[in-house]
Amino acid sequence: MRLAYLCADPGVPVFGTKGASVHVQEVLRAWRARGAEVRLYATRLGEDVPADLREVPVVHVPVPAPPATGDADRTARVAARERAQARAARLLAERAAADGADAVHERYSLFSTALAEVTARLGVPGVLEVNAPLIDEQRTHRDLVDGAAAHAALAAQVAAAERTACVSAPVARWVRQRTGAPAGRVVVAPNGVDPRRVGPCADAAAEGPDPAPPVVVFVGTLKPWHGVEHLVRARAAAARDWRLRIVGDGPQRAALERLAAALGVTVEFTGAVAPAAVPGLLHDCAVAAAPYPAARAAEEQYFSPLKLYEYAAAALPVVASAVGQIPSVVEDGTTGLLVPGSDPAALARAVDALVADPARRRGMGRAARREAVDRHSWDAVLGRVLAGTALEHPGGRAAPPPAAGRRAAGRTGAVPA
């Protein structure tokens, strides 16, 4: 089967270091594992092409930057950028249709109607994945001029897709509220992990006392919604001796370095690393952290953190904020410990408890690894997304769609929204 995978979002370098980049690459691998001949169509590439994806044919249509103008013309510049995104998506669609495909999988982006165009021209099924309420994000955190066009694009894409997979229940509600998509065509499909790419850490097989202070790790972009400042403060408040490693980069890095210096704590900042380097940076760690801040409303916690699944595959117990989807992934007391968001003291106590009891944390880590292997592989995630569609068994007869309200499989699998 020939699959056209489209990513028209200029904010996502498909071969970059962001979580979204990892997501794209893992979905490509999952399709290839099902025997699909994948061709990638993207507006932004990045430079960290994984060795196992170098043979994937790539069509690149960049989004040109609008001409620089003064602040007075900001609205015009944003509008030009939006039109450029739409044109790039149309060009990607034209290339995909010309190349031919038996199915289309698109990562949702503002202003793209590529999936709708290719499926209509070729008469093939399509899968749309929605990872965030982009229209709301754009309006709240950046600039959105042509909101009507963005809404129209979303509606067209969802209407054309045989299956729309959303990373969380809030995102699925957002899609249904704005498009009126029928039950059964929109499913919740949280992120996953490749447990072959991320292997168990050394601590999972260790016995006895720690020979050195354990390493506690955070992986992710250093932006406000990750709450990394709470982890730095937790290190300062901790009663036990542990080292802190922060893997990733972002606009908050300088402020976090200043905070660590002001608090007198030593933090290892690795900077941005390629996804292929992350397993190596987890291998000598003993505990992982996901210190998300408390949110004002449940709808704000719409994310599905990739890092939780990577931590689990690495057999690392997780100390995480009990917000959003996290309690459905981290079983408190079994695969990690949950704490209130924005609470460095509680975070410090939880990390201290796992540092003080190596046998307990290693048992949690091994339990987390089993969960990752049994429930959260990307192969399983894609299988649940395709369940009941014509793509579940290409060439065969599609199974009936899952009944509304019934989980397709697993505790956090693809479920009807």
Side-chain angles (χ1 to χ4, degrees):
M1 183 184 71
R2 299 167 301 164
L3 179 87
Y5 184 97
L6 298 116
C7 179
D9 190 337
V12 178
V14 291
F15 296 129
T17 61
K18 301 170 72 172
S21 309
V22 175
H23 191 152
V24 170
Q25 294 165 27
E26 295 291 10
V27 174
L28 295 181
R29 291 188 180 100
W31 273 109
R32 283 160 58 86
R34 296 174 70 88
E37 298 175 17
V38 178
R39 187 179 291 268
L40 173 63
Y41 302 81
T43 56
R44 186 176 172 190
L45 297 185
E47 299 176 348
D48 296 301
V49 184
D52 63 327
L53 297 179
R54 284 176 185 158
E55 63 185 25
V56 173
V58 176
V59 174
H60 180 209
V61 178
V63 177
T69 57
D71 289 342
D73 296 319
R74 181 180 179 86
T75 298
R77 191 167 67 250
V78 172
R81 175 79 170 176
E82 294 174 353
R83 292 192 294 272
Q85 288 179 236
R87 281 196 298 273
R90 286 196 296 273
L91 289 173
L92 288 176
E94 289 175 6
R95 287 295 304 273
D99 291 338
D102 301 307
V104 179
H105 187 138
E106 180 166 1
R107 181 185 177 92
Y108 165 60
S109 65
L110 290 167
F111 308 110
S112 173
T113 55
L115 180 146
E117 295 170 35
V118 179
T119 54
R121 289 179 61 177
L122 299 181
V124 299
V127 173
L128 180 70
E129 61 174 61
V130 183
N131 298 285
L134 293 184
I135 298 172
D136 294 356
E137 280 190 351
Q138 193 75 0
R139 181 178 289 117
T140 302
H141 302 294
R142 292 177 284 272
D143 296 290
L144 179 64
V145 174
D146 197 346
H151 279 100
L154 173 65
Q157 293 280 77
V158 172
E162 181 165 349
R163 175 63 45 83
T164 296
C166 304
V167 293
S168 69
V171 172
R173 284 194 293 273
W174 180 81
V175 168
R176 294 186 61 189
Q177 288 168 359
R178 281 156 181 76
T179 67
R185 295 184 63 174
V186 178
V187 301
V188 177
N191 285 323
V193 68
D194 184 350
R196 295 159 296 194
R197 185 177 68 83
V198 183
C201 64
D203 191 57
E207 297 180 352
D210 294 306
V215 178
V216 177
V217 66
F218 166 87
V219 180
T221 306
L222 305 184
K223 290 188 175 179
W225 52 81
H226 282 150
V228 185
E229 68 275 16
H230 303 305
L231 183 58
V232 174
R233 293 186 184 281
R235 174 52 275 190
R240 308 288 299 196
D241 190 11
W242 44 273
R243 294 173 287 163
L244 178 57
R245 175 180 296 161
I246 294 178
V247 179
D249 209 340
Q252 275 201 313
R253 177 169 176 175
L256 291 170
E257 290 177 331
R258 289 194 298 271
L259 176 62
L263 294 173
V265 298
T266 300
V267 179
E268 177 191 357
F269 289 93
T270 69
V273 301
V278 170
L281 290 167
L282 298 179
H283 190 68
D284 65 341
C285 297
V287 177
Y292 289 95
R296 289 170 296 180
E299 292 301 307
E300 295 180 12
Q301 305 288 358
Y302 53 76
F303 48 83
S304 175
L306 275 170
K307 62 175 63 59
L308 293 183
Y309 303 101
E310 293 189 335
Y311 294 161
L316 289 167
V318 184
V319 176
S321 304
V323 299
Q325 201 179 74
I326 291 177
S328 71
V329 181
V330 178
E331 189 171 352
D332 191 28
T334 300
T335 61
L337 297 175
L338 298 177
V339 299
S342 305
D343 190 339
L347 194 59
R349 288 194 296 272
V351 173
D352 281 350
L354 296 182
V355 168
D357 192 343
R360 183 188 183 204
R361 76 160 186 262
R362 290 163 186 161
M364 286 184 174
R366 290 191 290 269
R369 169 77 185 175
R370 287 193 294 273
E371 282 280 306
V373 172
D374 293 345
R375 296 177 177 273
H376 302 305
S377 74
W378 279 110
D379 295 343
V381 171
L382 182 59
R384 292 194 284 266
V385 168
L386 302 180
T389 73
L391 294 169
E392 182 178 11
H393 303 291
R397 183 177 179 181
R406 175 172 61 84
R407 285 180 182 273
R411 189 155 49 90
T412 58
V415 298

